[in-house]
Amino acid sequence: MEKKLTIRDIAKLSGVSASTVSRVLDDSDRISAETKKSVLEVVNQYGYKPQAAARNLARQKTSAIGIIIPQNDMNIYSSSFFQEALHGVSNSLSQNGYDVLISSGNPTELDAIKRLISTSRIDGIILLRSVVNDASIQYLTESKFPFVLIGTCLENPDVYSVDNDNQRAAYDIAYHMYMTGKRKMAIIGGTKSSVFIQKRLEGYEKLLVEKGLPINQDYIKLENASEDYGYQSMLELLKSPSRPDSVLVMDDSICVGVMKAINESGVKIPEEIAVACFNESSFTKYSRPALTTISLNFYDLGYCAAKTLLSVLNNEPIQKGCRYVDHLLTIRESTVSN
Amino acid sequence: MEKKLTIRDIAKLSGVSASTVSRVLDDSDRISAETKKSVLEVVNQYGYKPQAAARNLARQKTSAIGIIIPQNDMNIYSSSFFQEALHGVSNSLSQNGYDVLISSGNPTELDAIKRLISTSRIDGIILLRSVVNDASIQYLTESKFPFVLIGTCLENPDVYSVDNDNQRAAYDIAYHMYMTGKRKMAIIGGTKSSVFIQKRLEGYEKLLVEKGLPINQDYIKLENASEDYGYQSMLELLKSPSRPDSVLVMDDSICVGVMKAINESGVKIPEEIAVACFNESSFTKYSRPALTTISLNFYDLGYCAAKTLLSVLNNEPIQKGCRYVDHLLTIRESTVSN
DNA sequence: CTTAATTGTGCAACCGGTTGCATAAAGTTA
DNA sequence: TAACTTTATGCAACCGGTTGCACAATTAAG
């Protein structure tokens, strides 16, 4: 590694002062066109890049944002969630000269956040969430540190958040079922205490109401998110006198149990019962029949969250509260016979 | 956010000079015990933390290392690979006051690396790799920038790398097969051009040789890594006059095809044929029967790579070349009948 | 009791950028 | 041509830490 050039070296080489070089790199309009050109030539020739630490110190901002690596207990999301979201965040931010700093939440997430903030390493933070209230959100809100939430829309309109539209997603998948002739839809898995499950239930019910279908409480199985709960609930539904003709499952892991129950009882998919579930995974792709899924676009979530955070940091006027990104309905054999 | 305290504020509050505070925080031995105590009191009381940018500038190091987010084409690894490795890296580094900076390889990985280096944002880099030679490694080697490789052991002993012991892993799984009475083992999936597949083949053959079993070239199906290749290869083996009694599959996604072939032909697992594969995933856990797997410990990979990099950065004497971390054999129904 | 060695602390320069303000040069206006 | 803007650039201070060196205070040695 040869010696690093400083801004004063570049200044000397182009016959101007350091301040002029600095302004050229900032594309200030107080510098003449010729000066800009000649300085940029030198800058490019030597591949000069301002040193981040010096710049950050002078500007009193870090040009970095922080993210905490989620523990794997975010089981509502597919495992590629984090990686894809990160790509989105990183692409959006690097276009604007920002870095992304990550930290495992060690020992706790809140500790990690405090550490990043207190050493002035980051200007803002992006949080991945499935719950509404927790210590980190409260801390950030109180300290007025800029942050954006991914994965949960808060009631609080002062908190910026980016989420998938769970209500719309459930509605879309129910609509698809309806269009393939299904009229007796069940919904399985997850607990009503989660906000995103509530939203999905709303979407499901919205379609039923719109189409004049009855809301049958026996078809709503939302007490637990385990594979076994999926298995047991599906068995019950299959034995019931008014067996549903379609089922929406809230997660692919729960769907493993659901499929097991259906296969064991020899009921035909999708003719006798159609199956669709949330979250794409190797199971949904490789299952026989392959499963129709609603997959959430994690890249966009990250990209949009980063954009939002940038706007906040630049004090740009921006709509407060929650914004939604699109989801993707992948139709496979489990809902459409070929 | 109230005004940030500087080191001079703390100095004033504790009645010493800024340099003394700085030295106290560095635990320098040229400061008396009493002074340390009284300064630390003030520091703790106000929660003072030195500002990273200023410290980095003065010390001429960034206390940060970089990682490029892999594209999802690292299909040899389970999808939790990155996340777990990152946890390992982050935990190891944050204990030593280092930050982890990530970047999507945009537009290319090499560009991302050059950007991070040229702005002096990082002191070192950790690369995730499945191939031996590429532009990034070459660039880093030539510019003598400190880096550690995860996932590939290079021939070049000047490059530090951390990897799973693929040879040992294949040996272990073959040993397990042998101990359950299997004598005719096949090995399926992946191409011999990958270093890690070669290593696994070596481990497989090592066991056969040790136990005095013949190496049957017909049992070695290493031309392709697709699900379909797994399906076709397994069909062939099943139809063969000397049908194997066990099969090691190089990846869980390939194993999807293998399982499909076995199930279609009605052959019993594990009695007639035992199945084991590399990489844990929802498929291997939820498959019926559940699959015996070798899972690589990604957290340890990251942790060990970070430790290695830290040693390099601190010029500590350290064994050059490659080091291995342990893997985990998870025995399930597909190799042991209950 | 003087001199030398040791220990603890402060001064001030430095890291490499940025930016308010002063000023020289060029352009306008009367 | 004098007075007034406007435009382009440089000076120097500043961001908030770190660290070599000087020096005062204390202890040890002669």
Side-chain angles (χ1 to χ4, degrees):
Chain A
M1 282 190 293
E2 62 285 352
K3 190 76 185 323
K4 273 293 235 174
L5 289 177
T6 73
I7 200 170
R8 291 175 228 270
D9 296 326
I10 299 297
K12 205 156 290 173
L13 286 165
S14 19
V16 296
S17 73
S19 7
T20 299
V21 177
S22 177
R23 289 185 179 111
V24 167
L25 293 173
D26 247 25
D27 203 23
S28 155
D29 53 3
R30 301 203 55 83
I31 300 291
S32 73
E34 315 115 77
T35 310
K36 270 186 191 176
K37 186 156 162 289
S38 72
V39 170
L40 280 179
E41 240 161 50
V42 178
V43 165
N44 290 328
Q45 183 187 338
Y46 291 89
Y48 168 77
K49 293 272 170 54
Q51 187 172 306
R55 168 170 276 187
N56 293 345
L57 177 60
R59 290 189 171 164
Q60 284 299 87
K61 61 171 228 161
T62 66
S63 291
I65 70 100
I67 296 189
I68 312 293
I69 315 167
Q71 302 294 332
N72 273 356
D73 57 71
M74 282 201 88
N75 59 359
I76 44 157
Y77 290 116
S78 92
S79 45
S80 63
F81 166 66
F82 177 63
Q83 199 163 339
E84 289 177 31
L86 224 42
H87 262 111
V89 167
S90 172
N91 279 344
S92 172
L93 289 179
S94 66
Q95 282 164 15
N96 295 75
Y98 273 77
D99 287 322
V100 183
L101 228 141
I102 59 158
S103 167
S104 67
N106 202 287
T108 73
E109 185 188 70
L110 183 54
D111 290 316
I113 292 174
K114 283 184 179 169
R115 182 157 34 85
L116 288 175
I117 294 180
S118 63
T119 53
S120 308
R121 279 172 210 263
I122 53 173
D123 297 330
I125 205 162
I126 290 179
L127 282 184
L128 308 170
R129 271 299 173 288
S130 61
V131 291
V132 176
N133 280 312
D134 65 11
S136 305
I137 296 178
Q138 196 181 339
Y139 175 79
L140 290 169
T141 310
E142 280 171 9
S143 63
K144 302 209 191 310
F145 195 81
F147 75 106
V148 171
L149 228 54
I150 288 184
T152 304
C153 276
L154 289 194
E155 302 282 315
N156 185 344
D158 288 337
V159 172
Y160 296 94
S161 51
V162 176
D163 199 0
N164 296 106
D165 191 340
N166 279 289
Q167 183 183 331
R168 180 64 193 270
Y171 177 90
D172 287 352
I173 205 163
Y175 181 83
H176 165 67
M177 293 291 201
Y178 181 85
M179 293 307 280
T180 60
K182 305 298 186 181
R183 293 297 179 270
K184 296 158 78 179
M185 300 176 216
I187 181 167
I188 295 183
T191 62
K192 282 191 203 171
S193 60
S194 334
V195 177
F196 70 98
I197 293 288
Q198 278 171 30
K199 291 286 174 194
R200 292 178 188 178
L201 183 59
E202 283 170 29
Y204 160 84
E205 293 181 340
K206 185 174 168 216
L207 179 104
L208 296 182
V209 169
E210 265 182 36
K211 300 300 178 188
L213 298 172
I215 296 181
N216 183 340
Q217 292 301 328
D218 294 339
Y219 287 172
I220 302 177
K221 305 278 190 188
L222 299 176
E223 290 127 344
N224 191 302
S226 69
E227 177 191 342
D228 191 59
Y229 178 76
Y231 178 73
Q232 300 298 342
S233 304
M234 194 66 232
L235 278 188
E236 256 178 62
L237 287 171
L238 289 169
K239 276 183 281 185
S240 129
S242 60
R243 197 173 78 189
D245 57 12
S246 50
V247 52
L248 321 180
V249 187
M250 296 297 101
D251 182 50
D252 63 310
S253 65
I254 304 168
C255 202
V256 172
V258 169
M259 292 293 282
K260 190 177 162 204
I262 298 176
N263 287 330
E264 282 180 12
S265 49
V267 175
K268 280 229 150 33
I269 302 175
E271 293 80 3
E272 296 178 90
I273 192 159
V275 179
C277 74
F278 275 80
N279 302 339
E280 187 92 348
S281 74
S282 58
F283 175 75
T284 63
K285 270 182 285 196
Y286 300 137
S287 166
R288 306 293 166 210
L291 290 165
T292 289
T293 55
I294 279 276
S295 57
L296 310 172
N297 192 333
F298 304 135
Y299 179 91
D300 285 355
L301 270 184
Y303 195 90
C304 181
K307 272 253 185 283
T308 304
L309 185 51
L310 284 176
S311 299
V312 173
L313 293 177
N314 296 327
N315 291 312
E316 289 165 13
I318 178 179
Q319 177 210 325
K320 292 205 153 198
C322 184
R323 58 192 55 204
Y324 290 116
V325 307
D326 289 341
H327 45 259
L328 180 71
L329 180 61
T330 307
I331 294 169
R332 297 205 185 85
E333 305 153 13
S334 71
T335 57
V336 179
S337 47
N338 37 9
Chain B
M1 279 188 298
E2 62 284 352
K3 191 74 185 326
K4 272 293 232 176
L5 289 177
T6 73
I7 199 170
R8 290 175 228 271
D9 296 326
I10 298 298
K12 204 155 292 172
L13 286 165
S14 18
V16 297
S17 74
S19 9
T20 298
V21 177
S22 176
R23 289 185 179 111
V24 166
L25 293 173
D26 247 25
D27 203 22
S28 155
D29 52 3
R30 301 202 54 81
I31 300 291
S32 73
E34 313 115 77
T35 310
K36 272 187 190 173
K37 185 156 164 289
S38 73
V39 170
L40 280 178
E41 238 161 52
V42 177
V43 165
N44 290 328
Q45 183 187 341
Y46 290 89
Y48 167 77
K49 291 273 169 54
Q51 188 171 305
R55 166 170 277 186
N56 294 345
L57 177 60
R59 290 188 171 166
Q60 285 299 86
K61 62 172 230 162
T62 66
S63 289
I65 69 101
I67 296 188
I68 313 294
I69 316 167
Q71 301 296 330
N72 272 355
D73 57 72
M74 284 201 87
N75 58 359
I76 45 157
Y77 290 117
S78 91
S79 44
S80 63
F81 167 65
F82 177 63
Q83 198 163 337
E84 288 177 31
L86 224 44
H87 263 110
V89 168
S90 171
N91 279 344
S92 172
L93 289 179
S94 67
Q95 282 164 15
N96 294 284
Y98 273 76
D99 287 321
V100 182
L101 228 139
I102 59 156
S103 166
S104 68
N106 202 287
T108 73
E109 184 189 72
L110 184 53
D111 290 316
I113 292 175
K114 283 183 177 168
R115 182 157 36 83
L116 287 176
I117 294 181
S118 64
T119 52
S120 308
R121 278 173 211 263
I122 54 174
D123 298 330
I125 205 162
I126 290 179
L127 283 184
L128 308 170
R129 272 299 175 290
S130 61
V131 293
V132 175
N133 279 313
D134 66 10
S136 304
I137 295 178
Q138 197 180 338
Y139 175 80
L140 290 169
T141 309
E142 281 170 9
S143 63
K144 302 208 192 308
F145 194 82
F147 75 106
V148 171
L149 229 53
I150 288 183
T152 304
C153 275
L154 288 194
E155 301 282 314
N156 184 343
D158 288 338
V159 172
Y160 296 94
S161 51
V162 175
D163 199 1
N164 295 107
D165 191 341
N166 279 288
Q167 182 184 331
R168 180 65 194 270
Y171 177 89
D172 286 352
I173 204 164
Y175 180 84
H176 167 66
M177 293 291 200
Y178 181 84
M179 292 307 279
T180 59
K182 304 299 183 180
R183 293 296 178 269
K184 297 159 77 178
M185 300 177 216
I187 180 167
I188 295 183
T191 63
K192 283 190 202 169
S193 59
S194 334
V195 176
F196 70 98
I197 293 289
Q198 278 172 31
K199 291 286 175 194
R200 290 178 190 178
L201 183 58
E202 284 170 29
Y204 161 84
E205 291 180 340
K206 186 176 169 214
L207 178 102
L208 295 183
V209 169
E210 266 184 34
K211 300 299 177 189
L213 298 173
I215 296 181
N216 183 341
Q217 292 301 326
D218 294 338
Y219 287 172
I220 302 177
K221 305 279 189 189
L222 299 176
E223 288 128 345
N224 191 301
S226 69
E227 176 190 345
D228 191 58
Y229 177 76
Y231 179 74
Q232 299 299 339
S233 305
M234 195 65 233
L235 278 188
E236 256 179 63
L237 287 171
L238 288 170
K239 274 184 285 187
S240 132
S242 61
R243 197 173 78 190
D245 57 13
S246 50
V247 52
L248 321 180
V249 188
M250 296 294 102
D251 183 50
D252 63 310
S253 65
I254 304 168
C255 202
V256 172
V258 169
M259 291 295 280
K260 192 178 161 201
I262 297 176
N263 286 330
E264 281 180 14
S265 49
V267 175
K268 278 230 154 27
I269 303 173
E271 293 79 4
E272 297 178 86
I273 191 159
V275 179
C277 73
F278 275 81
N279 302 338
E280 186 91 349
S281 74
S282 59
F283 175 74
T284 62
K285 268 181 285 193
Y286 299 136
S287 166
R288 306 291 163 214
L291 291 164
T292 288
T293 55
I294 278 277
S295 57
L296 310 173
N297 192 333
F298 304 135
Y299 179 91
D300 285 354
L301 270 184
Y303 195 90
C304 181
K307 272 256 185 280
T308 304
L309 186 52
L310 284 176
S311 299
V312 173
L313 293 177
N314 295 329
N315 292 311
E316 289 166 14
I318 178 179
Q319 175 207 330
K320 290 206 156 197
C322 184
R323 60 192 54 205
Y324 290 116
V325 307
D326 289 340
H327 45 261
L328 181 71
L329 179 61
T330 307
I331 294 167
R332 297 205 184 86
E333 304 152 14
S334 70
T335 56
V336 179
S337 47
N338 37 6

